Amino acid sequence: MRAMSKQPKSASKTIARNKGASRDFELGEKFEAGLALQGWEVKSLRQGKAQLTDTYVLMKGGEALLIGLAISPLNTASTHPFIDPTRTRKLLLHKKELAKILAATQQKGLTCVCTSLYWKGHLVKAGLALATGKQAQDKRETLKQRDWDRQKQRLLRDSVKQPAQQ
């Protein structure tokens, strides 16, 4: 019996992350959804050619649709005559999760955003979160809190190092 050669595993299973989502929204309940993709899209995702900025979830006809995900096609793998990099993709969720997202997005001020794309085994999964928009003062408060947390860490680190040096 011949041993099969394994491909080296990548260091990170994350394909793309939506950093703007945590900056612009207050993230709430999180969900994990599968994506209905075409073959060329999977090949492009293996190369990390995805962009999640301005990506959101739209509920239509009892289905969840991911809008705004841009997957750049590879020059070598793409043989399709027409390729739309920003086409609407179907999200694969359980009925209970679909009902929760639908009920939450019908409330005033709540939306569902895609926070990340990652590999789970050989499948591509999308991390979703229910979110409310942040006002400008909320964003400033988040920045102040982050700066204060960094200063606390520095102070703690410096106070631990000083007694050891004396």
Side-chain angles (χ1 to χ4, degrees), residues 32-163:
E32 178 182 74
L35 279 170
L37 297 171
Q38 295 177 351
W40 69 269
E41 292 173 326
V42 176
K43 290 179 182 182
S44 292
L45 289 176
R46 290 200 186 277
Q47 299 297 318
K49 301 208 178 259
Q51 188 174 1
L52 283 176
T53 55
D54 300 329
T55 305
Y56 63 96
V57 176
L58 178 69
M59 300 298 290
K60 187 174 183 180
E63 295 180 341
L65 304 172
L66 187 63
I67 298 181
L69 172 62
I71 300 176
S72 302
L74 296 175
N75 293 336
T76 57
S78 176
T79 59
H80 294 34
F82 177 72
I83 294 176
D84 184 14
T86 58
R87 74 176 181 90
T88 302
R89 293 165 180 91
K90 184 177 176 183
L91 290 171
L92 308 172
L93 290 158
H94 292 284
K95 286 183 181 178
K96 288 181 181 178
E97 293 172 331
L98 284 170
K100 271 187 185 178
I101 292 172
L102 181 63
T105 55
Q106 288 178 346
Q107 292 179 3
K108 186 176 181 182
L110 280 177
T111 187
C112 187
V113 294
C114 183
T115 57
S116 64
L117 282 180
Y118 54 92
W119 293 103
K120 190 170 185 181
H122 67 284
L123 302 174
V124 177
K125 297 290 183 174
L128 307 175
L130 293 174
T132 56
K134 283 187 183 178
Q135 301 293 324
Q137 64 266 20
D138 296 335
K139 293 178 187 179
R140 286 194 294 270
E141 187 62 37
T142 303
L143 290 173
K144 286 179 188 176
Q145 185 64 38
R146 192 179 311 142
D147 288 343
W148 171 238
D149 289 341
R150 279 193 202 123
Q151 285 180 348
K152 280 196 301 190
Q153 290 299 322
R154 283 187 197 122
L155 290 172
L156 286 172
R157 184 183 62 221
D158 292 343
S159 67
V160 170
K161 285 183 180 179
Q162 285 180 348

